[in-house]
Amino acid sequence: VRRNEDRSPLWPDSTVGSISHTTGFAVALAADAKRVLSAGIDIELILSDEQASDLGETILSGFAPCTQALGYGRFVSLVFSAKETVYKALHPVLQEFMEFKDADCVTVDMENQLCTIKFKKPLRHPLLDKQDFNVEFGFNHELVMTRLLILRDSDQLKGKY
């Protein structure tokens, strides 16, 4: 995949997608642009509790439902990755910069592996009629991966990795 001037992926006109990488790992997500408005994916190494305590205030940006089953490092890593995924999905549509403080994690559903990210201010785009996005997630022993497909009818595609 080639790159735009801003270094974002340059997808064929019939495709939307997202790319992410971290030390030793890379992932990509591509979808049919007729059905999918935008896509986001992210992969991150899980932060230690010490690293998370240094970054948590910036990443969490307010209320966050810390799930005891995760532990603090895994929780902060999940929220970071989920916000990155949403930003990657929304940037091609909105063409505006967003910061971590612009959205909060409002729920984490461990059973269905969904993390809900909600924006504090309205998103202004005719094809986006919502402020919150259910981001799918999965963990392995050292990584968290998150993904989001925003369908053209605004419903989110549900599925498992």
Side-chain angles (χ1 to χ4, degrees):
V1 175
R2 296 178 26 223
R3 293 188 294 198
N4 291 305
E5 284 185 28
D6 68 357
R7 299 182 46 113
S8 63
L10 177 61
W11 298 98
D13 289 341
S14 62
T15 305
V16 296
S18 183
I19 296 173
S20 183
H21 60 88
T22 190
T23 307
F25 299 92
V27 293
L29 175 63
D32 181 353
K34 290 178 185 169
R35 290 189 57 222
V36 178
L37 177 65
S38 195
I41 194 164
D42 189 61
I43 189 167
E44 301 289 339
L45 293 171
I46 295 171
L47 297 170
S48 69
D49 288 346
E50 184 178 320
Q51 292 168 316
S53 67
D54 292 340
L55 300 171
E57 189 174 318
T58 301
I59 294 168
L60 299 178
S61 68
F63 172 76
C66 187
T67 303
Q68 295 214 355
L70 287 176
Y72 193 66
R74 290 171 73 89
F75 177 71
V76 171
S77 300
L78 169 59
V79 174
F80 176 85
S81 184
K83 286 185 177 187
E84 283 288 310
T85 289
V86 172
Y87 297 157
K88 286 179 181 182
L90 291 177
H91 180 74
V93 176
L94 299 175
Q95 292 295 307
E96 63 183 68
F97 179 74
M98 293 169 274
E99 297 184 34
F100 282 108
K101 67 180 180 180
D102 294 337
D104 289 325
C105 170
V106 293
T107 62
V108 175
D109 179 343
M110 292 298 295
E111 183 177 337
N112 294 304
Q113 294 186 302
L114 293 172
C115 174
T116 303
I117 302 296
K118 183 176 182 119
F119 280 84
K120 297 175 183 177
K121 62 181 182 178
L123 300 175
R124 303 202 188 282
H125 191 278
L127 297 178
L128 290 173
D129 61 353
K130 59 187 348 175
Q131 296 300 113
D132 57 324
F133 299 89
N134 291 320
V135 178
E136 293 180 274
F137 68 87
F139 286 101
N140 78 10
H141 66 287
E142 64 180 314
L143 297 167
V144 59
M145 186 169 66
T146 54
R147 75 172 182 179
L148 173 66
L149 293 177
I150 302 172
L151 297 182
R152 290 213 169 260
D153 67 4
S154 296
D155 289 333
Q156 292 178 29
L157 187 63
K158 303 243 187 306
K160 297 295 176 193
Y161 295 108

